[in-house]
Amino acid sequence: ASAIALRNLHKRFGRDAVALDGVDLDIHAGEFFTLLGPSGCGKTTLLRILAGLEAPNEGSLTIGGKDVTTTPPHLRSVNTVFQSYALFPHLSVHDNIAFGLRMKGVAAAERERRVQEIADFIKLGALMERRVNQLSGGQRQRVALARALVCEPDVLLLDEPLSALDAGLRNQLQVELQRTQKRLGMTFVFVTHDQEEAMVMSDRIAVLDGGVIQQVGPPQTVYEHPINAFVARFMGHVNLFEIDSVSGDRVTTALGQLRLEQPLAEHERHGMLLIRQEVIELGPEVPEGYNALEGVVRERLYRGSRVEYRLEVDGVVLLATASNLGQRLHAVGDRVTVSICPEDIVRLDA
Ligand code: ADP
Ligand code: MG
């Protein structure tokens, strides 16, 4: 079932600023769906259109099968958590969480039950009588989340809710948020510019650039099979090489000739090859059927759990990541044999 369907959405601000340029998207019920893209790509605009805070210039949107393109915000079964928490600083945690239910006229006993349930869920129990202005950033973020969840909307919209938090707390809340979404079975539309955060939390990711959706898919697909250079770079890839010429299953790039798993189709003979950092193996043995290149280590970044090498192959830079599982470290200046499995080379559009 499609919780949300967006059709041909366009949004312009003034004459020149195109925020969304024809967005088509289906978000499934019960899905943790993430809009991922750089600053200014249209993520917040899309979320605000879903919330009803902004109207599209063109296109339509349905939520739960109902066309809500012109429905005002309070009549949509949608709640929003913004990056700025928008809490009432002088009210207690309890009263902040209860606020929405009070506005809806939910009876006191029922209200208390639901507030308590959510508070336990998000581990706010001990803080209920504190005022919000006595809380840390992470605690406020939890309250904002509880306040949105307690109303049990079908859809929860979250606009970079974790970006103001430090790394440790952020990782912890990523896990909690994902667990909460699964347990309550709600549909989450989550916005972030951080590709790791998107991958860790989402069932599916939509990558946006310039108001256009570039690719939609599960994290592993978007990461391992990006469809173009923009998506590849945004997902953190660096080893992208333009295709110079093709002969059967052999492709020549600046890196030299590489054998692919199978010959490229006619329409695939232009574009780029992607070699993920972590699929590169560093000698001395070359596994059967692998491509072998000779390189020199120019830089080594020791990151504890893994080691990153900047290699030079035929005057071209190639980055390789090795897991640090008792492997011998290569030193700067070492000559190394680079092995690449044909299956691990991905062709994509420029
Ligand atoms: P993101 O959330 O991905 O950073 P936004 O949706 O906020 O991107 O913005 C997309 C584009 O629309 C940007 O170029 C931004 O400057 C423009 N924009 C957004 N809101 C407004 C507005 N209220 N008035 C004018 N331009 C806007
Ligand atoms: Mg934004």
Side-chain angles (χ1 to χ4, degrees):
S2 232
I4 300 170
L6 309 177
R7 291 292 172 266
N8 193 34
L9 283 187
H10 287 263
K11 181 65 186 177
R12 290 175 295 273
F13 291 101
R15 229 178 319 146
D16 312 315
V18 177
L20 298 176
D21 199 10
V23 169
D24 286 287
L25 199 56
D26 285 286
I27 298 171
H28 309 315
E31 181 169 46
F32 197 122
F33 192 91
T34 295
L35 301 169
L36 171 68
S39 174
C41 74
K43 304 180 298 294
T44 294
T45 302
L46 188 47
L47 220 57
R48 287 175 58 82
I49 289 176
L50 285 171
L53 300 170
E54 207 83 69
N57 297 106
E58 260 179 74
S60 66
L61 103 110
T62 64
I63 298 178
K66 212 177 92 195
D67 192 311
V68 294
T69 312
T70 57
T71 306
H74 65 280
L75 296 177
R76 302 183 182 196
S77 188
V78 162
N79 243 324
T80 311
V81 181
F82 294 103
Q83 185 182 344
S84 59
Y85 315 119
L87 298 169
F88 304 110
H90 300 295
L91 293 186
S92 68
V93 169
H94 174 280
D95 291 351
N96 265 279
I97 299 175
F99 184 80
L101 297 177
R102 205 184 284 272
M103 293 323 280
K104 281 187 171 178
V106 175
E110 164 76 0
R111 201 165 67 213
E112 282 315 304
R113 189 187 63 73
R114 280 167 66 177
V115 168
Q116 206 49 57
E117 188 181 65
I118 285 293
D120 290 346
F121 217 55
I122 319 243
K123 303 194 184 71
L124 281 168
L127 300 172
M128 291 303 265
E129 298 316 318
R130 287 254 200 113
R131 286 206 318 263
V132 161
N133 57 14
Q134 301 170 317
L135 300 179
S136 71
Q139 290 166 336
R140 285 179 205 209
Q141 192 58 69
R142 277 195 174 78
V143 177
L145 195 61
R147 194 179 59 168
L149 289 169
V150 80
C151 293
E152 297 176 9
D154 297 333
V155 177
L156 189 63
L157 309 173
L158 305 109
D159 194 357
E160 313 221 19
L162 308 181
S163 62
L165 307 176
D166 63 51
L169 193 56
R170 194 169 169 167
N171 291 342
Q172 190 189 333
L173 276 182
Q174 284 170 354
V175 176
E176 272 178 41
L177 207 53
Q178 192 197 28
R179 204 180 288 156
T180 303
Q181 183 267 341
K182 287 284 167 270
R183 231 190 305 180
L184 298 179
M186 281 182 201
T187 307
F188 273 27
V189 185
F190 185 89
V191 162
T192 181
H193 61 268
D194 179 329
Q195 90 281 4
E196 282 189 27
E197 182 164 279
M199 286 193 281
V200 143
M201 302 180 78
S202 318
D203 295 313
R204 287 193 307 150
I205 298 171
V207 182
L208 255 86
D209 184 35
V212 176
I213 291 183
Q214 305 289 315
Q215 184 168 5
V216 182
Q220 199 180 350
T221 306
V222 176
Y223 181 75
E224 294 182 12
H225 298 277
I227 63 156
N228 60 34
F230 174 83
V231 175
R233 292 206 172 91
F234 200 77
M235 297 310 288
H237 298 302
V238 283
N239 298 326
L240 290 162
F241 303 98
E242 200 171 326
I243 296 174
D244 291 330
S245 65
V246 178
S247 162
D249 61 358
R250 316 259 155 178
V251 174
T252 305
T253 69
L255 206 57
Q257 198 183 65
L258 295 165
R259 195 166 66 75
L260 307 188
E261 191 186 11
Q262 55 190 29
L264 293 177
E266 196 61 43
H267 69 277
E268 295 176 326
R269 292 170 171 230
H270 297 280
M272 309 192 105
L273 296 185
L274 163 65
I275 304 165
R276 287 187 280 122
Q277 281 178 247
E278 63 276 16
V279 304
I280 293 171
E281 294 179 30
L282 299 181
E285 311 291 330
V286 178
E288 172 92 37
Y290 277 45
N291 291 286
L293 304 167
E294 293 304 317
V296 180
V297 175
R298 290 297 180 208
E299 207 169 65
R300 183 178 82 191
L301 294 177
Y302 183 80
R303 295 194 186 272
S305 63
R306 61 186 200 280
V307 189
E308 290 174 13
Y309 295 101
R310 194 164 69 86
L311 309 170
E312 191 180 318
V313 175
D314 252 354
V316 174
V317 174
L318 184 70
L319 269 80
T321 303
S323 72
N324 188 16
L325 288 170
Q327 299 198 15
R328 190 179 74 85
L329 293 184
H330 300 282
V332 170
D334 279 2
R335 306 199 129 272
V336 289
T337 301
V338 176
S339 302
I340 303 165
C341 180
E343 274 179 44
D344 288 329
I345 303 175
V346 175
R347 209 252 14 147
L348 43 80
D349 291 332

